[in-house]
Amino acid sequence: MKLLSYILLISFGLILVYAANELPTRGDPNAPINRDSSLAGTPGATAHYIRNAEKDMKTPNVVTTILADYRGYDTLGETTVIFCAGIVVFLILRKQKDGSKV
Amino acid sequence: MVQKSNSIIVGIVSRFMAPFIQLFALYVIAHGHYSPGGGFQGGALLGASILLLRLTVGDKGSELVFKKEFGTPLSGFGVFIYAAVGVLAMIGGGLYLDYGSLPFAGMTPAELRSLGILLVETGVGIGVMATVIAIFDDLTMRHFRD
Amino acid sequence: MTDFFIGHVAYYFIVALLVIGLYGMLFKKNFVKKLIGMNILQSSVILFYVVSASKYNATVPVIDLKFGSDPIHYINPLPHTLMLTAIVVSVATTGVALALLIVIYKRFQTLNEDELLERMK
């Protein structure tokens, strides 16, 4: 049983290596993620961000503009997740009365 | 419950380092528009400086800097700043989180967006700092009677 | 052949890291070791995103007057943005997992998976 698990894990790794061979070369400027438009012909997001960041909000750091403005809702959700994690840790570990089971 | 470190060198060096780490964290937050940095990284640095004091100076000394009860409420305050900036943009006549219509007079929409990013990053920084400290304090409470 | 290997060796490294993390999660019996395996797996996913953002002859995505705002001169900023939040969330979720481990240890006095399954019958 243990041997079967090891074989499954190793074959999973080999499948991932086989899949990695099909990925674009690291740093290729013509990789699909770096293109101006997607394969379906729709305009790409990152080229738009880089072209308009300075003009839209006078902020040279494109990562900051995407984080706080273009994808502001996303970051609001992430901040709420962090807050919820803090609350959950507080609720799990708060001081219990003596004699309680957990 | 973290005890004070027995080593004099560790205590003095960490007490010397903590203000500089905090200064660097403020720089990372405030200069996030022009260099790599921002609210998440600066908040993590601020939290790390307080955790350094918690681990070396002990609970008693480090609570002069940051009280244990403040952790969880302050993380809620950080999220509140973020959401309040969005509501402020709605008061100015725009959509939620559309910083271009914040109600501050005499600024172009591009400058308003820059200001909105700074406000939001401040909120994120406060939230991350307080959450890291709150989680650490909850985990290091006295859980077992010895 | 050598060019192909140099271009893809980062992916092989990430696959190795992912398999190590999965091994920790599946085979180790101690819950803390399982948690460490989960963190290694998360790191491999984060590294995969960061590798996919790289671009030759390009600089950090901070708009420089020297280059103007042509996307060819800057690496892809979107994966960095997504992973920035993922890292902080992973720290918070690790805190939640550690809190749950503390509660489990208080209740059962052990963190071994087999003993816990035995105890819960």
Side-chain angles (χ1 to χ4, degrees):
Chain A
M1 195 59 211
K2 192 114 183 175
L3 188 69
L4 184 69
S5 313
Y6 277 113
I7 290 171
L8 271 176
L9 197 65
I10 290 171
S11 54
F12 177 65
L14 288 179
I15 289 171
L16 284 179
V17 168
Y18 174 70
N21 283 334
E22 301 290 319
L23 285 170
T25 315
R26 189 179 76 86
D28 184 10
N30 293 318
I33 191 171
N34 291 330
R35 274 185 209 149
D36 245 5
S37 58
S38 70
L39 294 176
T42 51
T46 49
H48 177 267
Y49 293 151
I50 292 175
R51 284 210 186 89
N52 294 316
E54 179 85 65
K55 192 172 57 186
D56 275 353
M57 49 207 78
K58 292 198 171 177
T59 303
N61 191 348
V62 186
V63 175
T64 303
T65 60
I66 297 176
L67 185 78
D69 197 313
Y70 288 121
R71 296 186 175 229
Y73 272 103
D74 219 357
T75 313
L76 178 60
E78 301 273 7
T79 319
T80 316
V81 167
I82 296 165
F83 171 59
C84 288
I87 293 285
V88 165
V89 173
F90 174 70
L91 289 179
I92 291 174
L93 293 178
R94 71 189 158 160
K95 287 247 162 62
Q96 304 277 347
K97 270 181 242 153
D98 280 350
S100 71
K101 258 302 186 189
V102 174
Chain B
M1 183 65 82
V2 184
Q3 295 299 322
K4 192 174 178 218
S5 168
N6 285 326
S7 163
I8 294 175
I9 297 172
V10 170
I12 287 179
V13 168
S14 62
R15 262 184 293 171
F16 177 74
M17 286 295 291
F20 290 102
I21 297 175
Q22 284 162 357
L23 191 66
F24 180 62
L26 291 178
Y27 166 77
V28 165
I29 292 179
H31 209 255
H33 286 54
Y34 305 103
S35 66
F40 283 103
Q41 297 96 316
L45 273 170
L46 274 176
S49 74
I50 305 282
L51 295 196
L52 181 69
L53 289 177
R54 283 265 199 280
L55 285 171
T56 54
V57 187
D59 279 346
K60 222 178 201 173
S62 67
E63 276 200 273
L64 299 172
V65 183
F66 194 93
K67 278 224 183 306
K68 281 192 171 180
E69 297 82 44
F70 286 173
T72 315
L74 210 57
S75 65
F77 182 64
V79 181
F80 171 76
I81 288 179
Y82 201 130
V85 172
V87 174
L88 211 61
M90 281 169 84
I91 292 172
L95 298 170
Y96 188 66
L97 286 177
D98 178 14
Y99 313 129
S101 53
L102 284 174
F104 297 114
M107 292 169 92
T108 60
E111 287 166 354
L112 280 175
R113 286 213 169 85
S114 190
L115 180 66
I117 289 173
L118 182 63
L119 292 175
V120 160
E121 297 270 15
T122 313
V124 170
I126 292 174
V128 171
M129 172 195 77
T131 309
V132 170
I133 297 169
I135 288 177
F136 179 83
D137 284 343
D138 287 338
L139 287 178
T140 54
M141 258 180 344
R142 185 183 288 274
H143 293 293
F144 305 98
R145 258 168 257 108
D146 39 23
Chain C
M1 188 62 202
T2 321
D3 282 351
F4 183 82
F5 184 73
I6 290 172
H8 285 74
V9 69
Y11 297 124
Y12 303 148
F13 173 70
I14 288 164
V15 167
L17 213 55
L18 196 142
V19 171
I20 289 170
L22 211 58
Y23 167 79
M25 281 178 80
L26 291 177
F27 288 87
K28 291 294 171 192
K29 294 298 177 194
N30 192 319
F31 276 168
V32 178
K33 289 177 183 171
K34 275 180 193 290
L35 183 63
I36 294 171
M38 195 184 82
N39 271 324
I40 293 174
L41 201 147
Q42 268 177 342
S43 307
S44 80
V45 174
I46 289 168
L47 277 176
F48 178 67
Y49 270 79
V50 170
V51 164
S52 78
S54 68
K55 194 193 281 184
Y56 280 127
N57 293 324
T59 179
V60 288
V62 177
I63 302 289
D64 198 337
L65 289 178
K66 206 162 59 181
F67 297 124
S69 50
D70 188 3
I72 201 79
H73 296 303
Y74 303 102
I75 60 172
N76 204 329
L78 192 52
H80 288 130
T81 311
L82 300 176
M83 288 310 108
L84 188 61
T85 51
I87 289 168
V88 180
V89 169
S90 86
V91 169
T93 49
T94 307
V96 174
L98 286 173
L100 286 173
L101 290 186
I102 286 176
V103 173
I104 289 172
Y105 191 80
K106 248 194 224 171
R107 177 87 165 73
F108 293 101
Q109 306 296 321
T110 180
L111 283 178
N112 193 303
E113 190 187 10
D114 294 337
E115 282 182 40
L116 270 173
L117 288 174
E118 198 65 29
R119 223 45 101 67
M120 282 161 73
K121 270 177 191 164

